[in-house]
Amino acid sequence: MNRRDMIKGSLVAFVAITATPILADTVAIKAPKIVVVGGGWAGLSLVRNIKEDIPNAKVTLIEKRDHFVSCPASNSWLFDLVDLEFLTHSYIEAANNHGYDFIQATATGLDSKKDILKTTVGDIEYDYLVFATGIEYDYHEQTKGDMKLAKTLHDNYPPAFIPGSEHLTLKRKIQNFKGGNFIITVPSGNYRCLPAPYERACLLADHFKTNNIKGKVYLLDENNSITIKEEGFKTAFNKLYKDHLEYITSAKILKYDLKNKIVETEFDTISFEDASFYPNVKAPKLLEDLGLTTKTAYNRVEANIDHLTYKFKGLDNVYGCGDIRPMGFSKSGNTAYTEGQNLSKMIANTIKGKTLKWESPTTLCISLVSIKPQQEISLISEYKYGKNGETQFDSTFTDEKWKSNGLGENKAQFHWAQSMYDKMFYM
Ligand SMILES: Cc1cc2nc3c(=O)[nH]c(=O)nc-3n(C[C@H](O)[C@H](O)[C@H](O)COP(=O)(O)OP(=O)(O)OC[C@H]3O[C@@H](n4cnc5c(N)ncnc54)[C@H](O)[C@@H]3O)c2cc1C
């Protein structure tokens, strides 16, 4: 049976058969119940690593989707560089390989006094609970609270920054595009995957150029400069896509005329044939409803966690990690995965009665800027906290590379993605 068959045959709720637990530590620890909500990059890292750190723990992953679809490398899928199978993986297989339980359900509530998580398949008890529930879109600033406009923008011009049908819609738009202006927007603040809108714009411009489509990408950036890998993307825009990409900074859309397909910024009026509008992001509404969020520097709703312990403020055994965090780390998969590793160690040490100092997650991020030859720019970075607790790049670890020799294919992004899928699902 191949991976796809396993996914098709998935049950609504599945409990993996776990091997008899072996207690690695010399101190006998009562088997703790650890529940993780959200099977994304942070959650999958946590459940895998906590089983290694505390082998006798009863670890349960709660995820609303029946299979995993990767956002990293999805821009490559939009342009047929990888197929859907590369991005799609089975929670059942991951749970089986790593010895935790998987329940397909949506978390709906919390009784933190009784240590009970409420879900669509019933109550689940925990000793330690982690919310790793990713982001939701926040159209408030873009639409000034007009919910009808927000829905139309989302349904007709999807951002494709949360996995699922939005990506399919965007791919069809690209495939059916005959010419004219294609708008891509970049929101302000700390949005999910800082380089992804620039990478997507490059690949779309490359697609127009290679296939002689009389199209132009209008990349409207709400920020006053490229938010990450600035030198690399600027080089790509100027050297590779002069005729096919127009990059405009401080370009917040103030008016959408969707009937006539025109948008207005403070300085420009731009007509478009098609578009993908990316709004701000926030922590999921569930956390807001549970009173577990706070408003951060950019007035964004994010998890109200302590930046050193990942504990929700006021709760001693409930943690938050991944893109929901308020810290200024890059909202990226590698960051979420390594943060999951660190938090796993912290929870394990708490269980063992020890403490562990905060460690920085690692942002490792490789963006494609052209398809043939496949050229990439990469960045690796760690973080530190300033005196007032603000997040800073730790320059000792920050390194940006622009590989533009054009001599061959750089496939680092695919190798990185495959190695991460291996860790999360197979090894
Ligand atoms: C186009 C694109 C390209 C990207 N490229 C890269 C890249 O090259 N490298 C990189 O490092 N990162 C990249 N990223 C960013 C990366 O995808 C995210 O940062 C990462 O997915 C964050 O992980 P997470 O676990 O916090 O959230 P997610 O991966 O979104 O996982 C959250 C999970 O929680 C589940 N969930 C939410 N609410 C509930 C609930 N109530 N009950 C049950 N389940 C729930 C969701 O279904 C989801 O599976 C890219 C993103 C995009 C969109």
Side-chain angles (χ1 to χ4, degrees):
M1 193 158 58
N2 64 24
R3 265 195 351 239
R4 191 162 281 165
D5 292 337
M6 282 198 75
I7 291 164
K8 275 189 198 147
S10 68
L11 306 170
V12 170
F14 175 84
V15 179
I17 303 155
T18 48
T20 312
I22 305 155
L23 199 57
D25 226 49
T26 44
V27 187
I29 307 164
K30 181 182 142 259
K33 293 192 281 291
I34 301 168
V35 175
V36 175
V37 184
W41 290 67
L44 284 164
S45 166
L46 265 157
V47 286
R48 182 224 147 116
N49 286 296
I50 204 88
K51 268 314 276 186
E52 275 182 23
D53 292 336
I54 303 279
N56 75 325
K58 178 172 168 44
V59 178
T60 307
L61 176 65
I62 313 289
E63 165 58 50
K64 61 186 176 188
R65 298 182 292 169
D66 66 354
H67 61 271
F68 171 94
V69 184
S70 174
C71 270
S74 65
N75 280 341
S76 296
W77 174 74
L78 292 176
F79 298 93
D80 295 329
L81 294 171
V82 294
D83 60 20
L84 199 53
E85 195 175 24
F86 184 73
L87 303 179
T88 310
H89 303 271
S90 158
Y91 285 118
I92 296 170
E93 215 173 331
N96 231 355
N97 287 337
H98 295 138
Y100 56 80
D101 299 345
F102 169 59
I103 298 177
Q104 192 193 338
T106 302
T108 52
L110 175 69
D111 184 339
S112 60
K113 290 208 171 78
K114 293 187 179 149
D115 293 339
I116 287 173
L117 177 77
K118 311 253 174 213
T119 80
T120 44
V121 296
D123 291 356
I124 296 172
E125 285 178 17
Y126 63 85
D127 296 312
Y128 299 89
L129 174 67
V130 184
F131 284 102
T133 43
I135 53 141
E136 281 179 10
Y137 298 126
D138 182 357
Y139 282 90
H140 211 84
E141 272 184 35
Q142 278 75 20
T143 65
K144 299 177 194 78
D146 181 342
M147 298 302 285
K148 203 170 150 211
L149 175 60
K151 184 163 171 23
T152 309
L153 291 179
H154 177 265
D155 293 353
N156 297 350
Y157 304 101
F161 273 80
I162 293 177
S165 63
E166 291 175 38
H167 282 78
L168 197 60
T169 308
L170 181 58
K171 185 163 177 145
R172 287 196 183 128
K173 281 174 178 287
I174 293 167
Q175 285 170 337
N176 296 331
F177 194 74
K178 300 282 182 287
N181 297 336
F182 197 117
I183 293 179
I184 290 177
T185 61
V186 188
S188 60
N190 195 6
Y191 55 89
R192 169 170 277 183
C193 200
L194 297 177
Y198 306 107
E199 176 187 66
R200 201 177 270 174
C202 284
L203 298 184
L204 186 55
D206 187 312
H207 171 72
F208 291 163
K209 191 173 153 184
T210 313
N211 296 297
N212 293 320
I213 295 166
K214 286 193 174 37
K216 191 163 212 173
V217 181
Y218 268 85
L219 183 57
L220 305 186
D221 195 336
E222 287 189 13
N223 305 284
N224 54 21
S225 61
I226 296 171
T227 53
I228 194 165
K229 302 179 195 167
E230 184 173 4
E231 198 194 322
F233 282 119
K234 240 189 205 155
T235 312
F237 296 169
N238 294 332
K239 287 205 171 151
L240 304 176
Y241 306 120
K242 240 182 163 39
D243 298 332
H244 294 91
L245 196 155
E246 188 81 30
Y247 174 60
I248 307 178
T249 55
S250 306
K252 191 178 177 66
I253 296 176
L254 301 175
K255 194 172 166 202
Y256 296 86
D257 177 354
L258 298 180
K259 199 160 154 245
N260 297 304
K261 291 198 168 172
I262 292 171
V263 293
E264 284 177 28
T265 68
E266 195 181 345
F267 305 105
D268 298 294
T269 300
I270 301 158
S271 66
F272 63 95
E273 270 59 46
D274 223 330
S276 167
F277 297 113
Y278 186 4
N280 298 119
V281 302
K282 65 177 184 71
K285 177 135 190 328
L286 170 69
L287 295 186
E288 263 185 285
D289 293 345
L290 296 175
L292 297 177
T293 55
T294 182
K295 284 211 168 163
T296 52
Y298 296 103
N299 206 22
R300 305 278 182 271
V301 174
E302 286 176 301
N304 193 14
I305 54 173
D306 179 272
H307 64 290
L308 291 174
T309 64
Y310 293 95
K311 286 181 186 178
F312 279 94
K313 300 216 173 125
L315 298 175
D316 205 39
N317 57 348
V318 184
Y319 303 76
C321 113
D323 281 0
I324 57 167
R325 71 177 92 75
M327 293 85 95
F329 311 147
S330 157
K331 291 189 189 293
S332 72
N334 205 86
T335 317
Y337 186 88
T338 50
E339 192 174 68
Q341 279 176 313
N342 295 342
L343 180 54
S344 166
K345 273 193 240 161
M346 283 173 146
I347 295 175
N349 270 25
T350 304
I351 291 168
K352 291 173 190 167
K354 302 176 195 164
T355 50
L356 190 78
K357 251 180 74 186
W358 175 84
E359 280 179 45
S360 170
T362 307
T363 296
L364 167 63
C365 170
I366 305 150
S367 308
L368 265 67
V369 292
S370 71
I371 297 173
K372 269 187 187 162
Q374 199 169 296
Q375 297 181 99
E376 296 171 336
I377 49 181
S378 58
L379 174 128
I380 181 154
S381 188
E382 292 199 351
Y383 303 87
K384 59 184 181 182
Y385 290 121
K387 274 196 191 118
N388 301 323
E390 78 279 14
T391 314
Q392 299 171 345
F393 280 107
D394 188 338
S395 52
T396 332
F397 297 97
T398 302
D399 184 18
E400 230 182 277
K401 282 197 184 68
W402 166 231
K403 296 176 184 167
S404 61
N405 60 25
L407 296 175
E409 306 266 315
N410 296 310
K411 296 208 168 168
Q413 189 188 73
F414 301 158
H415 291 306
W416 166 80
Q418 187 60 59
S419 75
M420 299 306 285
Y421 305 145
D422 285 346
K423 282 189 219 169
M424 291 190 285
F425 293 90
Y426 309 110
M427 279 166 34

